[in-house]
Amino acid sequence: MVLYNFKSITVVPTSKDFVDIVLSKTQRKTPTVVHPNYEIGRIRNFYLRKVKFAGQSFHDRLTQILDEFPTLDDIHPFYADLMNVLYDRDHYKLALGQLNTARSLVDNVNKDYAKLMKYGDSLFRCKQLKKAALGRMCTIMKKQQASLTYLEQVRQHLARLPSIDPNTRTLIICGYPNVGKSSFLNKVTRAHVDVQPYAFTTKSLFVGHTDYQYLPWQVIDTPGILDHPLEERNTIEMQSITALAHLRAAIIYIVDISEQCGYNIKQQVALFHSIKALFTNKPVLVVLNKTDVTKVEDLAEEEKKLIQGLATDGAELITMSTLTEDGVSQVKTTACEKLLAQRVEAKLKGKKVNDSLNRLHVAQPKPRDGKERPAFIPPSVQKMREAKVNGEMNELEIDENPEDETPFWLRGVGTKEWKRRYQLKNPDWNFDNIPEIIDGHNIADFIDPDILERLEELEREEEELMKNAENQMDEDEFELDEEQAATVKKIKEKKLSLMESSRLNRKIKTYKPRKYEKDDDMNPDAMGAHLQEMGLDPTRAVQRARSTSRQPRKRTRSATPADGEMDVDASPREIKRQQREASLTPKPGEGFKDFKHKEKALKVAKKAMIKLTKKSARHGEADRHVYDLKPKHLFSGTRGGGKTDRR
């Protein structure tokens, strides 16, 4: 479980943004209208509310910053020292202390001007007190620019730190630069750390997670350490020292015996002895890496003695090659086992174990008589054990793993020993792969062994029948005698009569093609009758259809106004009526019968358009008018310092 989640710290604004946020919030969350003719008590409350709201906003914002940043005295010593290495403890405390002081000053300004506001005797004086209070608060915050900028940088760096749980099962990898620490981390965990053939590729702590015995483990890759005094170590090296000093973990010290890292074995052994004080009360594992390049047997005697000298105080030597993955899993298993054993031993030595033991009770049966009842082993089991030890068991009695000393009742139920003990009617059924389903029989017992041969016989018989049927169809001549032909004719006639009656019942009218209807419908008389039914005068149309002349007719002006023409000498009211009738008179191609038909269609269209325009507040379907380009609730803000000075 991760105890410290530094990624949730809120962003620290700059002093300018801090002031803008608070003043904007004050303007939005408090009333904005006051008039000189108000009662003086109402005016005082108006400005007092603004002062108190701004002060409380500054106070809440600063409190949030102070609460979210970790206090070095309250967190784990590992994180406290790590923050001291990365950010300087004094500078960090000074920045938080300055913000705490700024919060107190803002509270004092808020309190003082709330008292002075009670003595304001006019709108102007109350307003000046409000301006002075907000101005002093903003001045206090503007002086905190350096602290706010520093804390924002610290927050960004804290968010990038790995989430390390100081109390969980941990493996720490350490050693000189470029000895294979990051490669080992990539092999045993799901992490992906950059690996390069030069020193100090890893400049900060990297964490990977792995599983062992169904338990989660965290593996920490530390930057390389050089062998020089503690005072001369830089920030990168001090991160490794901090992790080694404060985390209860198993230490994996990696030594490059091929010396490709740029440091010889003597220097690496010297570094181990210089930081050995950090390994106190921790299981240590010395890993000889890069054995694919140089074998331990190929080393000089002096180097072998130096390496053997590392195996002191419980440290264990293991060889490994991260390139060929030889010994990688062994290193992981050994380190995890050593750490688990130490954690269990520490818990047994602790004070909490007595509290747990007091809550455990081992029940012992009370003797009901004076008889002794020792452990009883059945004779068959005892006989089987003796036969197994003496090698007298046959193949069916021998288990898959003869060297396994586990009693047979603790082994898998599907083993041969268990199957041999099945009590079935026929002993041959004991070792069937398919279990019985009824009366000692399984599915295989109900399958005919000759089923494939019978299937082939059926297929051959079917092919012969198909060939005989085809030959018979070819030999027979498909001809009808007179009686059969008469029957077929009656059936067809009956079918046609049924179709005709069905059409009549459904009132379906059949149409003939136009080329057969020329004599009946496509003539001028039929057209005139059709137009007359629609209420139109067919005289001109019939005459035009009957005339054989193709010459265009000349238009003559008549003495009286014809249809569609207006009388210019008529009154204005009559002219308006004539215009309306002319507009409503159906024209060829519009598809209306008469004047009433067109008027009715226009009314229906008008009703439909009313519904459309009412729904979206439009004049018509083409209306794109925007009624208010700048609505007040979006564009009204704080007023300037001009004539509207009453606020």
Side-chain angles (χ1 to χ4, degrees):
M1 182 180 67
V2 180
L3 300 177
Y4 306 102
N5 185 15
F6 298 135
K7 295 179 176 60
S8 62
I9 301 177
T10 310
V11 177
V12 181
T14 62
S15 60
K16 183 178 181 304
D17 293 340
F18 207 112
V19 171
D20 291 343
I21 290 169
V22 174
L23 293 184
S24 175
K25 185 177 180 182
T26 303
Q27 181 67 13
R28 288 183 289 108
K29 298 288 187 178
T30 56
T32 56
V33 177
V34 65
H35 296 290
N37 55 356
Y38 285 169
E39 293 182 359
I40 189 62
R42 184 176 177 182
I43 296 173
R44 288 172 185 163
N45 290 334
F46 176 85
Y47 289 107
L48 181 63
R49 183 174 177 181
K50 287 185 175 293
V51 173
K52 286 187 174 181
F53 188 88
Q56 189 63 37
S57 299
F58 278 114
H59 179 90
D60 295 343
R61 197 80 179 183
L62 290 171
T63 302
Q64 183 184 14
I65 296 173
L66 294 173
D67 292 344
E68 289 184 349
F69 275 89
T71 305
L72 298 183
D73 296 335
D74 297 339
I75 61 177
H76 194 275
F78 163 70
Y79 274 113
D81 279 4
L82 186 63
M83 294 182 68
N84 182 29
V85 169
L86 296 174
Y87 318 121
D88 187 8
R89 178 192 299 263
D90 297 335
H91 194 178
Y92 179 76
K93 284 189 171 183
L94 187 62
L96 292 179
Q98 287 178 348
L99 290 188
N100 191 21
T101 304
R103 182 177 60 176
S104 301
L105 293 175
V106 168
D107 291 344
N108 292 335
V109 170
N110 189 8
K111 191 184 301 181
D112 294 343
Y113 277 87
K115 292 179 181 179
L116 293 174
M117 194 65 71
K118 298 178 182 179
Y119 299 98
D121 55 357
S122 66
L123 185 145
F124 175 75
R125 290 185 179 178
C126 291
K127 181 178 180 179
Q128 294 304 107
L129 288 173
K130 185 263 297 184
K131 291 175 67 174
L134 297 185
R136 287 190 60 182
M137 293 179 188
C138 295
T139 302
I140 293 171
M141 288 309 307
K142 286 180 180 179
K143 292 181 180 179
Q144 308 304 319
Q145 171 64 23
S147 299
L148 293 172
T149 305
Y150 168 75
L151 288 176
E152 173 59 17
Q153 294 176 355
V154 171
R155 184 199 68 81
Q156 293 177 3
H157 198 279
L158 279 175
R160 291 192 293 269
L161 285 180
S163 298
I164 299 175
D165 187 357
N167 301 316
T168 191
R169 295 161 292 275
T170 308
L171 304 179
I172 297 180
I173 311 170
C174 62
Y176 260 97
N178 204 24
V179 296
K181 301 185 295 297
S182 300
S183 299
F184 177 74
L185 179 71
N186 292 338
K187 296 293 182 182
V188 299
T189 67
R190 295 179 290 272
H192 181 70
V193 184
D194 187 24
V195 177
Q196 297 294 340
Y198 49 82
F200 286 106
T201 306
T202 304
K203 298 182 180 179
S204 61
L205 299 177
F206 284 92
V207 181
H209 294 85
T210 185
D211 295 329
Y212 179 73
Q213 290 188 356
Y214 303 102
L215 295 173
W217 294 69
Q218 66 181 6
V219 186
I220 301 178
D221 178 21
T222 61
I225 308 173
L226 300 179
D227 186 17
H228 46 230
L230 186 66
E231 296 79 11
E232 298 178 6
R233 289 196 167 99
N234 56 22
T235 303
I236 297 176
E237 296 176 275
M238 287 304 297
Q239 295 181 53
S240 303
I241 300 298
T242 303
L244 293 171
H246 292 290
L247 295 178
R248 296 173 52 194
I251 308 300
I252 300 177
Y253 184 82
I254 298 181
V255 177
D256 181 7
I257 60 175
S258 68
E259 299 182 355
Q260 290 181 346
C261 61
Y263 305 94
N264 56 34
I265 295 178
K266 184 177 180 180
Q267 291 175 316
Q268 298 180 56
V269 172
L271 174 64
F272 178 85
H273 290 296
S274 66
I275 63 175
K276 190 168 64 174
L278 301 173
F279 303 158
T280 308
N281 298 327
K282 297 174 185 176
V284 182
L285 201 64
V286 179
V287 180
L288 308 179
N289 192 19
K290 301 185 182 179
T291 55
D292 58 308
V293 179
T294 304
K295 302 291 184 183
V296 180
E297 295 81 9
D298 300 337
L299 298 175
E301 290 297 330
E302 184 181 355
E303 293 176 342
K304 288 183 180 179
K305 289 181 181 179
L306 289 174
I307 292 175
Q308 291 297 329
L310 298 176
T312 57
D313 301 332
E316 185 175 349
L317 290 174
I318 298 181
T319 59
M320 178 186 70
S321 172
T322 54
L323 181 63
T324 61
E325 299 187 8
D326 183 20
V328 172
S329 60
Q330 183 184 359
V331 171
K332 172 187 170 182
T333 303
T334 306
C336 294
E337 289 290 346
K338 291 172 74 71
L339 182 61
L340 281 178
Q342 190 202 40
R343 288 169 68 94
V344 171
E345 184 180 356
K347 288 181 180 179
L348 290 175
K349 291 181 181 179
K351 297 180 180 180
K352 294 183 179 180
V353 67
N354 295 327
D355 299 336
S356 301
L357 290 176
N358 292 335
R359 286 179 281 179
L360 297 176
H361 173 67
V362 180
Q364 295 289 343
K366 296 180 180 180
R368 60 178 182 269
D369 49 27
K371 289 184 179 182
E372 292 185 3
R373 293 179 174 83
F376 173 73
I377 299 176
S380 60
V381 176
Q382 187 67 27
K383 183 180 178 181
M384 184 197 67
R385 288 185 178 181
E386 294 174 358
K388 186 174 182 180
V389 172
N390 299 330
E392 298 174 358
M393 297 179 69
N394 55 28
E395 293 182 359
L396 294 178
E397 293 174 340
I398 295 176
D399 198 3
E400 286 100 350
N401 189 6
E403 298 178 358
D404 190 4
E405 298 180 357
T406 309
F408 74 91
W409 56 83
L410 296 179
R411 301 180 192 174
V413 179
T415 59
K416 290 183 179 180
E417 289 187 7
W418 276 102
K419 290 184 176 181
R420 187 173 55 81
R421 291 171 178 78
Y422 290 169
Q423 296 178 359
L424 302 176
K425 292 181 180 181
N426 187 354
D428 296 338
W429 298 343
N430 292 359
F431 300 98
D432 285 352
N433 291 329
I434 302 176
E436 62 173 315
I437 56 174
I438 182 171
D439 297 335
H441 298 286
N442 53 30
I443 298 172
D445 297 330
F446 294 97
I447 297 176
D448 189 355
D450 303 330
I451 189 171
L452 295 177
E453 297 178 1
R454 295 189 179 187
L455 179 61
E456 290 178 0
E457 291 179 3
L458 287 173
E459 289 178 351
R460 286 196 297 268
E461 184 179 353
E462 186 178 359
E463 290 178 1
E464 292 178 0
L465 291 174
M466 292 294 293
K467 289 181 180 178
N468 295 334
E470 291 177 0
N471 295 333
Q472 187 176 1
M473 289 290 291
D474 295 338
E475 293 175 358
D476 296 340
E477 294 182 1
F478 192 73
E479 295 182 358
L480 300 177
D481 53 9
E482 294 180 358
E483 186 178 355
Q484 291 176 346
T487 306
V488 171
K489 186 177 180 182
K490 288 182 180 180
I491 292 173
K492 290 182 179 180
E493 292 176 354
K494 181 65 175 177
K495 188 175 180 181
L496 289 173
S497 64
L498 290 174
M499 290 173 62
E500 291 295 333
S501 62
S502 176
R503 286 198 189 99
L504 292 174
N505 291 335
R506 287 183 295 170
K507 296 182 180 179
I508 296 176
K509 185 178 179 182
T510 57
Y511 294 93
K512 293 188 295 183
R514 283 185 177 271
K515 62 182 180 178
Y516 300 114
E517 294 180 353
K518 286 183 178 179
D519 299 336
D520 300 334
D521 299 333
M522 302 300 292
N523 52 36
D525 295 334
M527 183 183 68
H530 180 63
L531 291 175
Q532 197 167 4
E533 288 179 2
M534 292 178 62
L536 301 175
D537 186 9
T539 306
R540 293 185 180 179
V542 172
Q543 289 177 358
R544 187 165 57 250
R546 285 178 175 173
S547 64
T548 57
S549 175
R550 298 287 181 178
Q551 297 296 329
R553 293 192 300 270
K554 293 182 179 180
R555 185 172 179 179
T556 57
R557 183 182 296 274
S558 59
T560 58
D563 293 341
E565 297 179 359
M566 292 181 295
D567 187 3
V568 294
D569 298 331
S571 63
R573 187 172 181 179
E574 184 64 21
I575 291 174
K576 194 172 183 180
R577 185 187 65 77
Q578 291 178 4
Q579 289 177 348
R580 181 172 177 274
E581 288 182 356
S583 64
L584 291 179
T585 301
K587 297 178 182 178
E590 286 188 338
F592 299 112
K593 292 182 180 180
D594 51 8
F595 174 83
K596 293 183 179 180
H597 193 194
K598 185 174 181 179
E599 190 176 25
K600 184 178 180 181
L602 292 175
K603 285 183 179 179
V604 173
K606 189 176 181 181
K607 286 184 179 180
M609 188 57 65
I610 288 174
K611 290 182 181 179
L612 176 66
T613 54
K614 279 187 176 179
K615 188 178 248 187
S616 57
R618 303 285 185 184
H619 290 299
E621 59 184 5
D623 184 11
R624 297 292 182 269
H625 179 66
V626 179
Y627 291 95
D628 194 354
L629 293 175
K630 290 187 176 183
K632 186 176 182 181
H633 70 283
L634 292 179
F635 290 90
S636 63
T638 56
R639 296 192 181 186
K643 296 182 179 179
T644 53
D645 195 13
R646 61 182 182 276
R647 295 186 186 176

